[in-house]
């Protein structure tokens, strides 16, 4: 508890994750393909998904003081399952790191032309990696600088746009680009930050109370999605483009680019931080190797930088849509296991008295992995409704049914004494062993 921070300090970092280029890009993509009204609805639906997941898994992380990778061991995935989850999340976050880094390099190259694209990508990747090696306190100070600067930029951009367009005309104007459906838009919004929502325990473990988690989530996500997203929508309508760099150059000139690319580091430091925690858990669980977080940070930062040079930015839209259905099932399973089934709560409570993590955990929990697969398939193939919500609910419901119906049925079935030819045969009373 001595390492906990005030909710405002943590909220500033959470808002910093949303006041960045990728969220600005999502807003611009929505505005380019949707009317203001439809874009507003897409942002609302996406934000609700993110807040529900963030609050519940965040409270679990705050209560246990554990990162997502650690917490997953006792919330539906087991030791090896959490290792697999850690690897998937780490890969996803490295992808996000590459996307953000590529946007930074593209912006700086357009602004100065002093270095080639790859040179700016290396410079940004190295700078963010060095900040993350110093941990939470350094990342907090980084947020205190970049978040206010981004808010100034957002106000400047929209003021510039309104000097040549009326707000009413922008709100009522048609989408300048090809039409984007509401379901695709909402999924894009959720997908753009769903990784951040699922790994909320990495951040909320620094909170002092569950109410602090709720406050920081509601304030940061609601404010972030509407402020950043809707400004992106309006500017896309004003400029008639989804190109973030073109929008910023058009409305704020080179100063806006400097502020915007600087804010990229604020989201990328958390991408790198959470990825490093996942990798550390993976190597410890699978190979029994203790890898330092600093070492993991340096290696992952280098990989993400190379990926951004290779071409991470070109796959942005498809990338966030896939994440929008692949990651929500994880949150659904963790929420059901921790708050509804409470399978490992007694074990966690006993160990928490001593300020330690439990010394035992399931090796595998097939129900969690199977439900994860069901959630992804439902979200990916069923187009009715919002795919992210479909995936989250399908995974949570299937996990609950398996644990409440199939597991007791299997235990009852295997515990019966078999009979044959009228003779009672001796048998071992097999109980279902979750380990």
């Amino acid at each position: 508890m001595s390492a906990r921070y005030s909710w405002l300090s943590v909220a500033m970092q959470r808002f910093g994750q949303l006041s960045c280029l990728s969220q600005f890009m999502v807003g611009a993509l929505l505005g380019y393909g949707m009317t203001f009204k439809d874009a507003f609805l897409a942002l609302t639906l996406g934000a609700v998904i993110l807040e529900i997941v963030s609050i519940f898994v965040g409270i679990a992380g705050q209560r246990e003081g554990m990162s997502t990778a650690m917490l997953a061991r006792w919330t539906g995935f087991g030791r090896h399952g959490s290792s697999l989850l850690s690897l998937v999340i780490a890969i996803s976050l490295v992808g996000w790191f590459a996307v953000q880094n590529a946007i930074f390099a593209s912006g700086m190259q357009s602004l100065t032309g002093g270095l080639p694209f790859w040179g700016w990508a290396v410079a940004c990747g190295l700078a963010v990696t060095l900040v993350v090696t110093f941990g939470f306190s350094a990342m907090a100070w980084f947020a205190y600088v970049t978040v206010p600067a981004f808010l100034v930029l957002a106000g400047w951009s929209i003021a510039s746009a309104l000097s040549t367009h009326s707000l009413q005309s922008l709100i009522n104007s048609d989408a300048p680009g090809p039409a984007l459906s509401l379901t695709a838009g909402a999924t894009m919004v959720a997908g753009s930050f769903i990784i951040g929502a699922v790994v909320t325990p990495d951040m909320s473990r620094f909170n002092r109370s569950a109410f602090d988690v709720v406050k920081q989530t509601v304030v940061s996500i609601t404010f972030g999605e509407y402020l950043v997203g809707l400004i992106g929508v309006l500017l896309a309508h004003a400029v008639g483009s989804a190109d973030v760099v073109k929008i910023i150059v058009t409305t704020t000139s080179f100063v806006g680019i400097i502020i915007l690319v600087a804010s990229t580091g604020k989201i990328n430091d958390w991408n790198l931080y959470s990825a490093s925690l996942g990798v550390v858990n993976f190597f410890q669980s699978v190979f029994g190797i203790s890898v330092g977080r600093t070492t993991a940070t340096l290696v992952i930062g280098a990989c993400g930088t190379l990926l951004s040079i290779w071409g991470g930015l070109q796959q942005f839209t498809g990338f966030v849509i896939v994440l929008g259905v692949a990651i929500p099932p994880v949150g659904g399973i963790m929420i059901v296991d921790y708050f509804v089934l409470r399978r490992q709560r007694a074990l966690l409570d006993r160990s928490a008295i001593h300020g330690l993590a439990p010394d035992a955990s399931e090796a595998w929990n097939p129900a969690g992995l199977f439900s994860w697969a069901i959630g992804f398939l439902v979200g990916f193939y069923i187009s009715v409704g919002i795919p992210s919500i479909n995936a989250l609910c399908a995974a949570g419901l299937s996990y609950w049914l398996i644990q409440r119906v199939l597991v007791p049925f299997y235990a009852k079935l295997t515990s019966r004494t078999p009979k044959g030819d009228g003779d009672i045969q001796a048998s071992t009373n097999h109980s279902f062993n979750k380990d």
Side-chain angles (χ1 to χ4, degrees):
M1 291 301 296
S2 62
R4 306 294 177 112
Y5 289 76
S6 70
W7 78 271
L8 277 175
S9 177
V10 184
M12 179 69 79
Q13 298 211 54
R14 172 46 62 92
F15 180 71
Q17 292 181 313
L18 291 157
S19 56
C20 63
L21 278 159
S22 65
Q23 294 302 120
F24 210 79
M25 180 182 287
V26 169
L29 288 170
L30 292 178
Y32 191 61
M34 308 178 82
T35 64
F36 181 86
K37 178 181 177 181
D38 288 343
F40 181 88
L41 185 55
L43 284 166
T44 301
L45 292 173
V48 168
I49 297 171
L50 296 173
E51 289 181 353
I52 290 173
V53 176
S54 296
I55 287 174
F56 280 101
V57 298
I59 289 175
Q62 183 276 324
R63 286 178 175 176
E64 306 304 334
M66 294 182 184
S67 66
T68 308
M70 282 289 292
L71 185 63
R73 297 187 188 185
W74 297 279
T75 55
F77 289 90
R79 186 172 67 256
H80 298 316
S82 73
S83 301
L84 176 62
L85 173 62
S86 298
L87 185 61
V88 170
I89 289 178
I91 292 173
S92 300
L93 289 171
V94 169
W96 268 119
F97 184 94
V99 168
Q100 299 281 2
N101 208 48
I103 298 173
F104 172 91
S106 176
M108 291 305 296
Q109 186 184 34
S110 299
L111 172 64
T112 67
L115 292 175
F117 172 83
W118 67 266
W120 284 114
V122 170
C124 179
L126 178 61
V128 173
T129 300
L130 291 177
V131 170
V132 176
T133 59
F134 289 99
F136 188 93
S137 58
M139 293 160 66
W141 280 108
F142 194 24
Y144 294 144
V145 174
T146 58
V147 171
F150 182 85
L151 293 177
V152 171
L153 168 66
W156 183 6
S157 297
I158 196 62
S160 176
L162 292 178
S163 67
T164 55
H165 301 79
S166 71
L167 180 61
Q168 191 67 28
S169 66
L170 293 178
I171 291 176
N172 294 328
S173 62
D174 295 329
L180 184 69
S181 69
L182 179 60
T183 55
T187 302
M188 188 181 296
V189 173
S192 68
F193 196 65
I194 194 64
I195 290 286
V198 171
V199 300
T200 295
D202 293 352
M203 182 180 290
S204 66
R205 63 186 177 137
F206 292 101
N207 282 122
R208 293 169 178 163
S209 69
F211 187 49
D212 282 356
V213 177
V214 175
K215 287 186 292 186
Q216 78 184 32
T217 300
V218 172
V219 170
S220 60
I221 292 183
T222 302
F223 191 50
E225 288 292 349
Y226 283 131
L227 176 65
V228 179
L230 290 178
I231 287 178
V233 170
L234 292 173
L235 291 178
H237 280 223
V239 178
S241 172
D243 186 336
V244 171
V245 174
K246 178 181 177 181
I247 290 174
I248 297 302
V249 170
T250 302
T251 55
T252 62
S253 71
F254 71 94
V255 177
I257 289 290
I258 293 175
I259 296 174
L260 198 57
V261 296
S263 70
T264 301
K266 188 65 223 80
I267 178 63
N268 246 3
D269 60 1
W270 272 100
N271 287 335
L272 189 54
Y273 182 76
S274 294
S276 68
L277 294 178
V279 168
V280 168
N281 180 68
F282 177 79
F283 277 93
Q284 194 278 328
S285 299
V286 176
F287 303 108
I289 300 175
S290 179
V291 178
R293 191 188 61 80
T294 299
T295 301
T297 298
L298 292 172
V299 173
I300 296 170
C303 291
T305 300
L306 291 175
L307 183 60
S308 69
I309 296 172
W310 177 64
L313 183 58
Q314 285 72 20
Q315 305 301 323
F316 178 80
T317 301
F319 180 65
V320 297
I321 288 178
V322 170
L323 288 183
V325 296
I327 303 302
V330 173
I333 293 165
M334 294 179 69
I335 291 169
V336 169
D337 192 283
Y338 188 83
F339 291 100
V340 180
L341 299 175
R342 303 169 64 92
R343 296 167 57 250
Q344 307 287 334
R345 287 289 291 274
L347 179 64
L348 288 166
D349 290 344
R350 287 196 299 270
S351 65
I353 295 175
H354 306 288
L356 300 171
D359 57 6
S361 63
E362 302 170 304
W364 289 98
N365 182 16
L369 298 177
F370 185 68
S371 300
W372 188 6
I374 290 177
F376 173 76
L377 293 174
V378 168
F380 194 78
Y381 288 107
I382 296 180
S383 57
V384 178
I386 306 300
S388 294
I389 297 179
N390 295 344
L392 177 74
C393 295
L397 179 60
S398 61
Y399 184 70
W400 182 84
L401 288 172
I402 290 172
Q403 293 291 357
R404 280 286 188 252
V405 179
L406 294 184
V407 169
F409 176 76
Y410 178 77
K412 183 178 179 181
L413 185 66
T414 56
S415 66
R416 291 176 180 172
T417 302
K419 299 180 181 181
D421 297 328
D423 297 324
I424 298 178
Q425 300 175 352
S427 68
T428 303
N429 183 18
H430 299 287
S431 61
F432 182 80
N433 185 357
K434 299 185 184 66
D435 290 327

